[in-house]
Amino acid sequence: MSFSSNRIYRMQNPIQNYAWGSKEAFRQMYGVANPEHLPQAEIWMGAHPNGCSTLINEHGETLRLDAFIQQDAAAVLGDAQANFGELPYLFKVLAAAEPLSIQVHPDKASSEAGFAAENAAGVPLTAAHRNFKDPNHKPELVYALTPYRAMNGFREFAEIVSLLQGLSLPALQAEIEAFCQQPTDETLKALFAASLRLQGDARRETVTRLLATAQHHQDKEAFAEVLRLAAFYPEDMGLFAPLLLNVITLQPGEAMFLYAKTPHAYLQGVGLEAMASSDNVLRAGLTPKHMDIDALLANVDFVAKPAAELLMRPMVLGPISDYPIPVADFSFTLVNLSAEAIASETSTALILFCLNGTATIHAGADTLILSAGESCFVPAAAVSFAVSGEGQLVQIGSR
């Protein structure tokens, strides 16, 4: 079996069949087979142990990407090896037919400490109550391929106050009034925590009252979202979240960044997701899965992120749109292809993904033609390559 660290390879990528995934989106967009009619939630491209890509050479032989990296990490990863010691990013196509859980990703320091503590305590990596599955942070960029609904970050405090005023939820009334009278990070934290800790009759009564109010105010986007979410999670206190978090719809071609320690949830749509290579998730509602409220609260920044500032705008130079990612773990570049080849050089490992149309990749003696939905891996040792075709290509690397 021959896999050289200076050649490019077509990728075969695993599909994650999470319950919230779409049964049709990947087939309709990229011709992905789904003979068992399962929910197909995410296509993973990278070397993460929970879903590692496989490389295919010209003879049809295959090798897992992590094994390929281990053959000669310095040559394959280049700068990524020097700076991170591993492939530092994970790239996904995500198709949400139903809302994902509200979640927070811890920052790097908290991930390292939490991962070490759970290891020391003997918590299995596969345990349902495990909070930290790896020692990495998980900042993310999402790029919409269809209208893409999401919640991201706390609303401006004055906006939260306007939504809460007049709301009658006895089990949360003290915290609501405290926040409305003095909207600060501390009073918001107290309200957020109290809503998550409600159980039994108190939670059921609160949800019933919240839904009754939402019925009367569904002309407001926040309350309309409460009602939409209730169709999936009728008794979940995550239904309170649209009153606290920005609700946004990305249009195709729009992107936003999701910072560490920021509550967010993807609600519906198909998009691309680039992120640091991590699977650390602390949940905050809209889920039957384990929620560690104390760990969650310790990893949330209770600061407003105005909706108008959520969109990420690229720096455009000719056919290339480069997104200003504020972390070094990954980059996200969109290339508008044409018959005229665009030459590039790299000192780090890259993933190239054909977003639409057809892309031709030349690197040394290698030529690969990618159709929409296909990807290839470019090792750092390849050094230079050129792309041409029609449509759009996404390039993921580290900075």
Side-chain angles (χ1 to χ4, degrees):
M1 185 181 298
S2 175
F3 284 83
S4 172
S5 58
N6 64 355
R7 300 187 63 185
I8 64 174
Y9 296 100
R10 188 179 303 275
M11 300 173 72
Q12 181 175 302
N13 303 305
I15 293 175
Q16 306 286 11
N17 301 110
Y18 306 141
W20 48 262
S22 170
K23 296 180 180 180
E24 300 293 337
F26 292 157
R27 181 186 62 79
Q28 292 171 349
M29 296 187 76
Y30 295 128
V32 176
N34 188 10
E36 297 179 21
H37 206 55
L38 296 171
Q40 295 179 318
E42 297 177 343
I43 303 172
W44 283 29
M45 288 165 266
H48 195 283
N50 289 353
C52 183
S53 297
T54 299
L55 305 183
I56 306 171
N57 68 13
E58 70 271 28
H59 305 298
E61 298 170 320
T62 61
L63 181 67
R64 279 173 57 107
L65 179 54
D66 53 4
F68 178 64
I69 292 170
Q70 288 169 11
Q71 288 183 170
D72 190 347
V76 173
L77 298 181
D79 289 350
Q81 172 66 14
N83 296 331
F84 299 95
E86 62 180 356
L87 189 70
Y89 56 80
L90 179 62
F91 183 48
K92 302 177 182 179
V93 187
L94 183 150
E98 298 180 5
L100 282 68
S101 60
I102 303 166
Q103 51 193 252
V104 170
H105 304 309
D107 63 17
K108 179 69 171 173
S110 297
S111 296
E112 290 175 343
F115 183 70
E118 289 188 325
N119 283 349
V123 181
L125 279 173
T126 55
H129 64 287
R130 177 99 190 195
N131 291 323
F132 298 92
K133 297 182 180 180
D134 52 64
N136 207 9
H137 63 166
K138 194 184 176 187
E140 303 172 352
L141 171 141
V142 61
Y143 178 94
L145 301 182
T146 68
Y148 196 90
R149 290 178 34 249
M151 293 188 286
N152 183 11
F154 289 107
R155 296 177 183 269
E156 293 189 82
F157 288 0
E159 191 177 349
I160 297 175
V161 169
S162 71
L163 291 168
L164 296 180
Q165 283 178 333
L167 202 58
S168 177
L169 303 176
L172 295 176
Q173 212 61 42
E175 290 82 7
I176 289 174
E177 290 177 4
F179 177 78
C180 290
Q181 291 169 9
Q182 192 174 11
T184 66
D185 57 345
E186 288 300 321
T187 54
L188 178 59
K189 180 178 181 179
L191 173 58
F192 189 68
S195 71
L196 294 178
R197 294 192 193 280
L198 288 181
Q199 297 293 329
D201 290 342
R203 181 173 69 183
R204 282 187 286 273
E205 180 190 2
T206 300
V207 168
T208 298
R209 285 174 173 264
L210 176 62
L211 293 178
T213 302
Q215 289 285 355
H216 288 95
H217 296 283
Q218 54 187 298
D219 56 318
K220 294 183 179 180
E221 156 257 14
F223 287 108
E225 191 60 52
V226 170
L227 295 175
R228 281 194 289 264
L229 295 177
F232 300 98
Y233 296 98
E235 295 187 356
D236 194 299
M237 272 312 299
L239 299 180
F240 191 58
L243 306 186
L244 305 181
L245 305 180
N246 295 298
V247 179
I248 185 170
T249 299
L250 297 177
Q251 296 304 317
E254 292 184 331
M256 68 179 177
F257 194 78
L258 297 96
Y259 290 86
K261 307 180 79 170
T262 301
H264 62 275
Y266 297 146
L267 304 177
Q268 188 179 45
V270 182
L272 305 179
E273 195 179 23
M275 67 192 70
S277 184
S278 173
D279 203 23
N280 286 333
V281 174
L282 297 169
R283 295 179 179 84
L286 304 183
T287 180
K289 294 182 179 180
H290 170 69
M291 285 174 48
D292 186 331
I293 296 173
D294 290 336
L296 171 74
L297 295 174
N299 285 280
V300 174
D301 283 336
F302 290 90
V303 297
K305 293 187 181 296
E309 299 175 9
L310 291 177
L311 291 185
M312 175 170 276
R313 292 173 175 81
M315 295 178 287
V316 180
L317 183 62
I320 297 173
S321 296
D322 185 53
Y323 286 75
I325 308 297
V327 296
D329 306 68
F330 66 93
S331 61
F332 184 93
T333 303
L334 184 67
V335 182
N336 290 314
L337 299 168
S338 68
E340 184 177 350
I342 300 171
S344 297
E345 294 185 352
T346 186
S347 59
T348 190
L350 304 175
I351 290 174
L352 305 181
F353 174 78
C354 185
L355 182 57
N356 52 63
T358 304
T360 300
I361 320 297
H362 294 285
D366 294 327
T367 298
L368 291 180
I369 298 176
L370 303 180
S371 299
E374 295 182 331
S375 60
C376 72
F377 186 76
V378 181
V383 180
S384 62
F385 62 97
V387 299
S388 60
E390 55 179 4
Q392 293 177 303
L393 184 76
V394 174
Q395 175 180 303
I396 306 295
S398 59
R399 292 186 178 274

